[in-house]
Amino acid sequence: MLGFDFSIAGIESLGAMMIIAMVFICYCFAIHLIVTWNPYHRPAIPLVSSLILCMGPMLAMSLEKDGDSSFAEMLEIAFLFTSLGVGVIVLWMPIILAFVTFLMLIVSRKNPSEDPLIEMLEN
Amino acid sequence: MVFWVNQALLSFTLLIAAFSMWRMGPAFKRSKFAGPIALIGLAGLIFLPEQPLYFESDYHRCEFISFCNDDGRESYLKVVTWSLISISTALIGCYTIIRGSRIYAERNLAVLTIGWFFLGVSWWSIAQSPWFEDAYTRLDVLAWMVCFIFGIVGTVYILSRIIRFTENVTPKDPPIEPLNDNEMRLVTEMIRRNLGDGN
């Protein structure tokens, strides 16, 4: 059984986080392209590219163990990458929420101008 | 039997699909399926199946990754539940604050207070989650978080270059024919009716 030890803050783990981010974004992008398919899109090249960028690291990790890969293993690795990606995004939440709270403070104290269109032009 | 890792992955995929469907198309005509798909995705994330017992055939399916045991499932469920509480209360809070402020109508102090209450609940739920404290006091985790952002920025740049390349190689449509007399009369009439004839 392969363990994923990211506890050593070496250059490898920093590179691994970048690869996890790449796989995560490409996975989401591929799903987005598939579910929003319409006749006016030309999604073939972006879809193939994002699938290659997404599946490449997964396949490499799956082959790393014994040179063999299976669909179940790929699913487990896909879960690992996506859950790590979501986990890191969740870790950013306090910072995002602090920013949102600051915006809400401004919104709560805001007084509407007499003419919003003029204000928009001036800003 | 559906293994919890597969269900979690499928549910997350459904949530991404629902979000994409919800944001596509004109604002007055969003996809009707986005809401139900998002609900199925959320339910799938929360109601995960139990880990197979040692005498069940699927017990040894968890061969590759070290965390897909019962402890892993419990930890995953805990993070997902608390994150959903934080995110949903923050979203409800922001929506209520915007509704109660003087952006769209007169200020409604009761609505504003409810909004701030929900935002407070979101902060409280973050305070209840021990992993934030662990993460923000460890330099290596902070470095991962920053690297993750660099990874996102790099990937978005690569994808934008790929999209630009796709646009460049896509054959352009020929120029459309000019309007004929009948079409010109129709368009003129539509504009006249909408704008008035100057009287």
Side-chain angles (χ1 to χ4, degrees):
Chain A
M1 190 174 287
L2 190 68
F4 293 95
D5 185 15
F6 288 111
S7 60
I8 305 161
I11 192 74
E12 295 89 358
S13 62
L14 299 183
M17 288 315 289
M18 285 186 170
I19 290 173
I20 288 168
M22 185 183 77
V23 171
F24 180 75
I25 293 295
C26 288
Y27 184 77
C28 296
F29 188 57
I31 295 166
H32 170 78
L33 287 176
I34 292 166
V35 299
T36 57
W37 196 290
N38 69 64
Y40 308 105
H41 267 177
R42 299 279 187 274
I45 299 174
L47 182 59
V48 171
S49 313
S50 56
L51 283 176
I52 289 170
L53 289 174
C54 171
M55 304 285 274
M58 286 188 204
L59 196 64
M61 191 173 264
S62 156
L63 291 171
E64 193 186 31
K65 196 175 95 176
D66 51 5
D68 197 13
S69 176
S70 69
F71 184 63
E73 271 183 10
M74 288 292 281
L75 282 180
E76 285 176 21
I77 294 169
F79 169 76
L80 175 78
F81 276 76
T82 51
S83 53
L84 276 173
V86 174
V88 178
I89 290 172
V90 164
L91 285 181
W92 278 99
M93 216 162 62
I95 294 169
I96 297 167
L97 194 61
F99 179 65
V100 168
T101 307
F102 175 68
L103 287 181
M104 288 302 116
L105 264 175
I106 295 173
V107 165
S108 299
R109 295 164 59 88
K110 190 178 172 67
N111 287 321
S113 61
E114 303 242 331
D115 194 333
L117 283 176
I118 294 292
E119 189 197 0
M120 196 169 70
L121 283 175
E122 285 172 353
N123 289 333
Chain B
M1 182 177 179
V2 181
F3 193 49
W4 73 268
V5 167
N6 298 349
Q7 181 175 318
L9 181 64
L10 179 67
S11 306
F12 175 72
T13 307
L14 286 178
L15 273 181
I16 298 289
F19 184 76
S20 294
M21 289 164 86
W22 173 51
R23 295 310 307 161
M24 286 302 287
F28 51 86
K29 196 184 175 188
R30 301 291 194 201
S31 173
K32 292 171 188 166
F33 301 108
I37 290 174
L39 279 179
I40 293 170
L42 274 177
L45 272 184
I46 296 168
F47 302 111
L48 290 175
E50 296 284 334
Q51 171 78 2
L53 296 172
Y54 67 93
F55 52 81
E56 288 181 294
S57 59
D58 282 337
Y59 180 68
H60 291 295
R61 277 181 64 188
C62 186
E63 288 174 349
F64 195 72
I65 46 180
S66 55
F67 60 82
C68 64
N69 49 27
D70 251 356
D71 289 344
R73 179 183 170 279
E74 291 306 315
S75 307
Y76 181 81
L77 214 49
K78 198 175 169 189
V79 173
V80 165
T81 310
W82 279 103
S83 303
L84 284 177
I85 291 171
S86 306
I87 294 168
S88 56
T89 47
L91 287 176
I92 294 169
C94 291
Y95 179 79
T96 318
I97 288 170
I98 290 168
R99 282 284 156 200
S101 66
R102 293 181 71 179
I103 292 181
Y104 296 117
E106 279 304 301
R107 180 177 289 146
N108 188 332
L109 210 59
V111 175
L112 213 55
T113 311
I114 292 169
W116 277 105
F117 170 75
F118 274 108
L119 213 55
V121 171
S122 181
W123 275 112
W124 171 81
S125 67
I126 282 179
Q128 297 302 307
S129 313
W131 47 87
F132 289 117
E133 196 184 332
D134 291 346
Y136 283 84
T137 51
R138 281 178 56 182
L139 210 60
D140 52 348
V141 180
L142 288 172
W144 297 342
M145 287 164 65
V146 173
C147 281
F148 189 81
I149 297 297
F150 281 134
I152 287 180
V153 171
T155 311
V156 169
Y157 177 75
I158 291 169
L159 291 175
S160 70
R161 299 299 302 179
I162 291 168
I163 292 167
R164 175 68 63 86
F165 170 75
T166 311
E167 284 173 352
N168 287 340
V169 297
T170 302
K172 292 185 173 51
D173 290 335
I176 57 167
E177 293 290 316
L179 299 179
N180 59 33
D181 287 345
N182 194 29
E183 287 167 338
M184 280 175 75
R185 254 201 321 279
L186 275 170
V187 172
T188 310
E189 181 61 18
M190 274 190 278
I191 293 172
R192 193 186 65 75
R193 285 188 188 180
N194 278 290
L195 296 180
D197 51 3
N199 295 327

